[in-house]
Amino acid sequence: MRPRANSGAEPLSIYISVPFCRSKCSYCNFASQVFPAARQSEYIAALEQELEWTRERESSLGESCATLYWGGGTPSLLPAALFTRVMTALERHFPRQPGAECTLEAAPGTLQSDTLDAWRRAGIHRVSLGMQSWQAAELRASGRLHGPEHIAADLRTLRAAGLEEINLDLIAGLPHQTETSWRDSVERTVAAGAPHISIYMLDVDEDSRLGRELLAGGGRYHAASVPADDQIAEFYEYGIERLARAGYRQYEISNFALPGHESRHNDGYWLRQPYLGLGVDAHSLLRSAAPGAEDGRDLRWSNLDSLEAYLAAIARGELPRAETIWLDAESQLEEACFLGLRRNEGLDLNRLEREFGEAALAPQKAELRAMAAEGWLEENGDLVRLTQRGRMMGNEVFARMLH
Ligand code: SF4
């Protein structure tokens, strides 16, 4: 395997995790909880500390920030003063590059005029509204506190505040969703005119209450009214087709944008550009060799996923890391393949060959060819991409790229 060149010059993306929510949605598998508001300032102080220590210890991180993303949890719950404190600290340690993309996730019904002012003053220009559906019954059954009226009001508020770069999230597979209600939600999302839309299929795993109930075959959390898998797949396919007709280009499995409005932050993850995650359960990837590392190995780490454990680590004077993994060239190549396939543009085999060498790429190429024969992938010169069928088989395709 050819060692990777030091890539400290690559653009750095920064992710800030805010693990607070007003209520816990039944389908949620993120590390977020409902905490008293008083915990927020404690958390922000710890986050500032983590930022400072990381800047000191990870000398191979870039000097500036190309994209910034506030996720969670619900970053829109953070009071303006706490939000501004983090932005000031970030600017000190990782000044933003001119034209840096800056996004913040907001829950409908949580917008406040003083926080909107603070976001705008600090350079936030994209807001991702976690609306999920336009149907009151689906939102209620999922434990969401907002209704369709909040979504409509928030869209007006954001636009009046000059925040036009809006993403709207939809989930296919919510309890009580039907073909009619799904089509109505997609239609109203298109009519809302946001330049970016994400469609996720309901995750069924052990990490959410609804997922556990579905796996156990129980009926709590409205599990009995969750659409069947093949129906969810049909909803997703309808969404792709309808958004394409409305001019949205699908650029990744779950992401659609009007031309020029794709998220650079997300694209960075799929292209394995370096990113620094700060806060509870945040993940990081460092492409260049950190001090003491063997040349050519990437460094990946995740932070502790509970607020208490995170705060305790910082109080002990430690970085709040849960797991640290050094990735050799083989693992890097596997990741580059399965992450790259998420993008509609596809995998550039020529580029991978230049980076990793012909011999290293040979087994991946053989697997890609086998999947193309099964109709899951299509080739176009040096580019390999998922077919529509392959997109439905996403997890299986990605698993086959890992050896
Ligand atoms: S608002 Fe988002 S992060 Fe919070 S509980 Fe709901 S799905 Fe999870």
Side-chain angles (χ1 to χ4, degrees), residues 20-21 23-25 27-30 32 72-74 107 132 144:
F20 307 109
C21 288
S23 65
K24 189 72 181 169
C25 307
Y27 58 81
C28 179
N29 52 11
F30 300 121
S32 66
T74 311
Q132 321 308 354
R144 301 291 316 207

Side-chain angles (χ1 to χ4, degrees), residues 12 30 32 34 49 64 81 194 224 237 247 256-257 262 269 287 289 298 317 319 334 377:
L12 177 70
F30 300 121
S32 66
V34 181
Q49 192 62 78
S64 58
E237 284 189 318
F256 306 78
E262 296 81 5
Y269 289 141
R287 291 290 300 275
D298 288 354
L319 280 171
E334 285 175 0
L377 299 173

Side-chain angles (χ1 to χ4, degrees), residues 55-70:
R55 177 72 283 185
E56 283 166 12
R57 296 182 201 182
E58 302 295 353
S59 59
S60 54
L61 284 166
E63 291 304 314
S64 58
C65 165
T67 71
L68 172 65
Y69 194 102
W70 284 78

Side-chain angles (χ1 to χ4, degrees), residues 163-212:
L163 290 159
E164 308 260 350
E165 282 295 321
I166 300 168
N167 169 59
L168 296 176
D169 281 344
L170 279 172
I171 296 182
L174 290 179
H176 301 298
Q177 202 165 61
T178 62
E179 184 181 338
T180 306
S181 75
W182 172 251
R183 287 185 178 221
D184 180 67
S185 281
V186 173
E187 214 50 54
R188 292 171 76 174
T189 306
V190 168
H196 195 287
I197 296 172
S198 303
I199 297 184
Y200 300 100
M201 287 194 277
L202 182 76
D203 270 343
V204 178
D205 58 31
E206 290 286 346
D207 293 334
S208 74
R209 285 174 298 156
L210 178 59
R212 283 192 295 277

Side-chain angles (χ1 to χ4, degrees), residues 31-32 60 66 86-87 94 186 207 255 299 305 353 378 381 386:
S32 66
S60 54
V86 178
M87 291 300 275
F94 295 99
V186 173
D207 293 334
N255 287 285
L299 175 61
D305 66 2
E353 200 165 294
E378 61 192 10
L386 290 174

Side-chain angles (χ1 to χ4, degrees), residues 199-377:
I199 297 184
Y200 300 100
M201 287 194 277
L202 182 76
D203 270 343
V204 178
D205 58 31
E206 290 286 346
D207 293 334
S208 74
R209 285 174 298 156
L210 178 59
R212 283 192 295 277
E213 196 65 14
L214 286 164
L215 291 171
R220 288 183 301 168
Y221 313 116
H222 301 261
S225 60
V226 168
D229 288 353
D230 53 355
Q231 201 175 14
I232 296 175
E234 282 170 23
F235 292 171
Y236 171 69
E237 284 189 318
Y238 172 78
I240 293 176
E241 181 267 317
R242 180 64 188 95
L243 294 191
R245 270 196 283 128
Y248 290 84
R249 189 181 76 93
Q250 184 177 20
Y251 66 102
E252 193 265 349
I253 289 185
S254 307
N255 287 285
F256 306 78
L258 295 176
H261 296 274
E262 296 81 5
S263 159
R264 279 187 279 137
H265 184 87
N266 288 344
D267 225 24
Y269 289 141
W270 305 314
L271 289 168
R272 298 192 74 253
Q273 288 166 353
Y275 51 88
L276 168 64
L278 297 163
V280 168
D281 201 32
H283 290 59
S284 301
L285 173 71
L286 247 176
R287 291 290 300 275
S288 51
E294 273 179 37
D295 198 19
R297 291 201 297 170
D298 288 354
L299 175 61
R300 182 183 280 298
W301 72 82
S302 57
N303 276 358
L304 294 161
D305 66 2
S306 92
L307 177 68
E308 297 309 333
Y310 176 90
L311 293 174
I314 296 283
R316 287 194 304 272
E318 296 168 10
L319 280 171
R321 295 194 182 164
E323 195 181 23
T324 300
I325 304 169
W326 290 100
L327 298 170
D328 61 14
E330 192 176 342
S331 309
Q332 293 168 32
L333 174 57
E334 285 175 0
E335 275 195 9
C337 287
F338 78 77
L339 290 173
L341 279 176
R342 295 190 64 94
R343 302 173 75 239
N344 273 39
E345 203 171 281
L347 266 186
D348 183 342
L349 296 178
N350 225 343
R351 186 173 69 82
L352 289 180
E353 200 165 294
R354 279 199 308 277
E355 273 190 52
F356 295 97
E358 197 181 335
L361 191 59
Q364 306 286 345
K365 270 186 163 172
E367 195 61 63
L368 292 168
R369 235 172 268 128
M371 288 195 278
E374 290 168 60
W376 296 0
L377 299 173

